Amino acid sequence: MQSHTGPGDLTSVDLTDLALFADGPPHELFARLRSECPVHWNNTADGPGFWSLTRGSDITAASLDPVTFSSARGGIFFRPDTLIPLEVGRRDFMLWKDPPEHAKYRNVITKFCLPRTLILVDAVVDDIVTNTLDAVAQRGRCDVVGDIAVPVVATVIARLLGAPDEDIEQLNAWTRDIEQGITLDLNQSASVEEMGRYCAKLVGSQVVRGVDSLANTLAQPDGDGNRLSQSEIAGFFAMLLFVGNNHPRNAISSAVHALLENPDQLELLRAESPRMRTTRSGLAPVALEELLRWSTPVNYLARTATTDTTIAGTDIKAGDRVVMWYASASRDPDLFPGADRLDVTRDKCDPPHYAFGGGGEYFCQGAALTYRIMSVTLREILRRLPELALAGPVTYERSAFVTAPTSVPVRFDRTGSLDTQRREQDLVDELERLTGKTVTLES
């Protein structure tokens, strides 16, 4: 990714300027902020200012203290009324809630996100990835974003939500509405209301491989017999659709781009694909953790100070906005030695990265699903698309909120026999299942 900063006064930096994110996160600028001004007051051209946190330790401390740093007080974006009015977010959206209310809403989807539940949808992911790559493997060229990541993730999420495949285009359009609402500070209440009405129609309509769909899960009463209201269901559905659709597709696309820019890492993973295999319990291998650290699909979330406090010697007043830059924390050399080097063999760190937040009660519950989709898709891309190389410029969404490739054009050798490859992989998978050991076929 390109640098967007040079020598100059950091007091003039405005991280709401989308030009800074033309090629993804401005990592050189983040490095300067971490070193010279880790708690940085950010004036904005057309709205209130905020404090930027760029060091991992400060972001973790704020994440683990929701009493002092509130989501409900001012919302989770640069401006309180971004995407939806703040009062609607506080009422209906889990991410706008503080403990203990946040935990009650979080428990609504916990049972669906348990590893033992997600194991049951592995076959769904496998089928979708296989069918998607069947459509491109003989072409010799494709765009990783539009031809692989978008259709794979959108189809998986549609199946888990209980939506028919013919509605995938509409689900993608809603995902785009939400992303644009956050990026451009737009009110997308109308789209959220449409999603809520759509979700109501899905309830009870489908079952995914023996697991109730997410739409059905949202409609079920909790242990005390309480049910979500229609507006709360709409909020959950919008959140699950956006996070489940947007973030894994960006993670896959960014991972392929990263590997193509680091061919030694690509060849290592091609030769040793089990390095990208998740465990049955949902634990992610180091290689996937490293690829997520490198890309960090969500750049930031915001909090509001509830009382006067201090971060790294800087006084923060009650009511001040605090923005936690996860993309910066994931490249913090104090946490990750050689942070500016992609290394899929590095020692596992704790925390492994900030792609799913800074820890605590707001850690993303969709992490296990993201790992599973990434694992299958990346392993199959490297297996099915030999001699993979960039075939044109890589482009990114101009967004301070997400790291979102819009195009990763590639070329590859299309001469291999797909049937032979599948039979070999089926044999490897069956032997590994029976023996519990990694199996490598000799060429």
Side-chain angles (χ1 to χ4, degrees):
M1 296 181 186
Q2 300 299 310
S3 169
H4 301 284
T5 185
D9 186 359
L10 289 175
T11 60
S12 63
V13 168
D14 180 5
L15 286 167
T16 69
D17 181 0
L18 299 187
L20 293 172
F21 298 84
D23 299 321
H27 286 296
E28 290 189 20
L29 174 56
F30 283 148
R32 284 193 62 198
L33 287 168
R34 286 194 304 269
S35 175
E36 301 174 32
C37 190
V39 184
H40 171 264
W41 179 254
N42 191 116
N43 287 306
T44 64
D46 57 357
F50 54 83
W51 294 101
S52 279
L53 306 186
T54 51
R55 289 194 311 203
S57 58
D58 296 330
I59 290 171
T60 296
S63 298
L64 297 178
D65 186 4
V67 174
T68 304
F69 300 101
S70 166
S71 296
R73 183 71 61 92
I76 59 175
F77 304 122
F78 288 142
R79 300 174 180 86
D81 291 321
T82 292
L83 188 64
I84 52 175
L86 178 59
E87 62 269 19
V88 175
R90 289 170 171 169
R91 184 189 68 203
D92 296 332
F93 281 71
M94 181 178 73
L95 291 178
W96 274 254
K97 295 181 182 296
D98 293 329
E101 190 178 18
H102 175 268
K104 179 181 71 174
Y105 282 78
R106 186 179 175 88
N107 290 338
V108 172
I109 57 174
T110 293
K111 63 180 179 181
F112 190 93
C113 294
L114 291 173
R116 65 173 179 270
T117 304
L118 291 177
I119 287 173
L120 299 176
V121 302
D122 277 357
V124 176
V125 178
D126 288 338
D127 289 345
I128 291 168
V129 172
T130 296
N131 292 336
T132 302
L133 287 178
D134 281 349
V136 304
Q138 293 299 297
R139 286 164 36 187
R141 284 177 174 265
C142 74
D143 191 302
V144 173
V145 179
D147 294 324
I148 300 177
V150 168
V152 163
V153 177
T155 306
V156 170
I157 296 305
R159 301 276 175 85
L160 297 185
L161 289 171
D165 287 356
E166 55 265 30
D167 290 348
I168 288 175
E169 184 175 347
Q170 177 61 70
L171 299 181
N172 281 335
W174 281 327
T175 300
R176 181 68 175 173
D177 286 347
I178 295 175
E179 180 182 312
Q180 289 297 292
I182 298 169
T183 295
L184 302 177
D185 189 29
L186 303 176
N187 187 318
Q188 298 289 25
S189 297
S191 291
V192 172
E193 290 172 2
E194 287 179 7
M195 295 163 72
R197 291 192 292 270
Y198 177 82
C199 181
K201 295 178 182 179
L202 293 181
V203 173
S205 64
Q206 291 193 30
V207 173
V208 183
R209 298 273 182 171
V211 183
D212 280 346
S213 71
L214 277 166
N216 284 342
T217 298
L218 297 179
Q220 298 302 314
D222 62 21
D224 297 324
N226 300 314
R227 293 180 182 271
L228 296 176
S229 69
Q230 186 61 42
S231 62
E232 289 171 324
I233 290 175
F236 260 109
F237 188 82
M239 179 190 70
L240 294 172
L241 174 61
F242 176 70
V243 174
N245 202 352
N246 187 277
H247 300 349
R249 73 167 63 160
N250 292 339
I252 291 167
S253 303
S254 295
V256 173
H257 183 204
L259 290 173
L260 290 171
E261 289 191 322
N262 295 270
D264 60 323
Q265 302 295 289
L266 185 151
E267 292 307 319
L268 172 62
L269 292 179
R270 191 192 298 279
E272 302 178 25
S273 65
R275 285 181 177 273
M276 293 187 291
R277 188 187 297 275
T278 58
T279 67
R280 285 183 60 82
S281 64
L283 294 177
V286 170
L288 288 188
E289 301 277 24
E290 174 69 354
L291 289 168
L292 277 166
R293 180 192 74 82
W294 189 256
S295 62
T296 307
V298 178
N299 284 328
Y300 82 86
L301 285 177
R303 299 287 187 264
T304 301
T306 61
T307 187
D308 292 351
T309 188
T310 301
I311 302 177
T314 300
D315 292 334
I316 310 293
K317 296 180 180 179
D320 283 356
R321 306 278 288 149
V322 175
V323 172
M324 302 175 291
W325 289 100
Y326 303 130
S328 175
S330 283
R331 299 284 184 99
D332 188 338
D334 288 340
L335 297 179
F336 309 102
D340 288 327
R341 183 185 71 253
L342 180 69
D343 179 7
V344 299
T345 67
R346 72 169 60 243
D347 291 337
K348 189 175 180 65
C349 299
D350 186 16
H353 51 69
Y354 286 77
F356 298 123
E361 297 187 46
Y362 291 93
F363 183 84
C364 179
Q365 288 178 290
L369 178 60
T370 296
Y371 286 137
R372 290 180 184 280
I373 298 175
M374 283 185 69
S375 174
V376 175
T377 306
L378 292 176
R379 283 188 288 120
E380 287 298 287
I381 286 174
L382 297 189
R383 184 175 70 87
R384 298 277 301 272
L385 308 182
E387 305 298 326
L388 192 66
L390 284 173
V394 175
T395 58
Y396 279 76
E397 187 79 28
R398 288 194 175 201
S399 173
F401 181 62
V402 289
T403 303
T406 54
S407 179
V408 182
V410 295
R411 63 178 185 274
F412 47 87
D413 181 5
R414 60 181 181 178
T415 60
S417 168
L418 297 182
D419 289 338
T420 298
Q421 292 173 7
R422 285 186 194 141
R423 286 197 297 270
E424 290 178 350
Q425 188 61 40
D426 287 345
L427 175 59
V428 168
D429 289 344
E430 182 63 13
L431 288 173
E432 290 182 347
R433 186 185 68 80
L434 293 172
T435 65
K437 298 179 180 179
T438 297
V439 174
T440 301
L441 294 180
E442 297 293 335
S443 58

